[in-house]
Amino acid sequence: MSESVDARQYAPATQRNRAPILEVLLEVLPPTGTVLEVSSGTGEHAVFFAPRLHPRKWIPSDPNPLALLSIAAWRSNFPADNLYPPIALDVCDRIWAIERDELPKPLSNLDFKRDEIVAIVNINMIHIAPWSACLGLMAGARRILPPGGILYLYGPFKQSGVHTAASNAAFDESLRSQNPEWGVRDLDEVVAVAQSQNLSLLKTYTMPANNLSIVFQMRSTI
Ligand SMILES: C[S@@+](CC[C@H](N)C(=O)[O-])C[C@H]1O[C@@H](n2cnc3c(N)ncnc32)[C@H](O)[C@@H]1O
């Protein structure tokens, strides 16, 4: 394949939601350390957030090979010294790529220390994946995050079992018609899974377009 082929993909929603999400991240992320982004998708968020969250470092990830190519292409176009190359990471794996003794290739060649991960950011995944992805995400967060570490989620949620907007109900229906295992999740159920994995609900933020930012914090083990 010619090197001039541009693998960058585009998700228009990222242009609309990135500034409001950044505002929340600046408020809730620890001031230093490494942020692991789970399900980075196109990589547009990664190249926008990394330079603006300096001195924190940012590791983008996704299980989809085309997404990994897109993230790498966005990173080549907008390099930042605190943005790592993307890694293949599926939250449903019992051990995530980042936890293995032998780190995934790009990281094993770089000055990366896994205990520097202080936060996990996950945008628009748990409703576009089976429920097992939410379970895997929370289990991984428990294994990886230190006490005080942050898990940030963004997306549409039902509250007390009810959609918060007609547009979310329609979106839910369209998701389920594509895959019966997908669908807008109920916040109470997500919080219950998080709590079972030692994560406390720290704060929720109402975001534009009927989305929420949900911030969890890893409890101390003592
Ligand atoms: C709607 S896209 C969101 C991408 C990006 N975060 C954004 O907001 O544009 C959902 C992403 O979740 C990823 N995904 C689906 N199942 C996953 C899993 N089991 N583990 C990690 N990522 C997953 C997909 O590959 C896809 O990139």
Side-chain angles (χ1 to χ4, degrees), residues 11 14 39-41 45 62-64 89-92 123-125 128-129 133:
T14 60
S39 82
S40 302
H45 278 145
D62 206 278
N64 180 331
L89 190 156
D90 186 325
V91 289
C92 295
I123 300 170
N124 279 332
M125 181 197 77
I128 311 185

Side-chain angles (χ1 to χ4, degrees), residues 49-105:
F49 293 147
R52 290 166 177 82
L53 291 170
H54 210 270
R56 303 165 189 88
K57 297 175 187 166
W58 191 275
I59 307 178
S61 75
D62 206 278
N64 180 331
L66 289 179
L68 292 171
L69 287 176
S70 177
I71 300 162
W74 275 103
R75 180 174 174 267
S76 304
N77 279 270
F78 294 95
D81 62 6
N82 61 337
L83 178 58
Y84 283 103
I87 58 165
L89 190 156
D90 186 325
V91 289
C92 295
D93 288 347
R94 280 165 53 87
I95 299 176
W96 290 1
I98 202 104
E99 298 175 84
R100 299 206 184 101
D101 285 344
E102 195 179 333
L103 285 168
K105 259 276 159 37

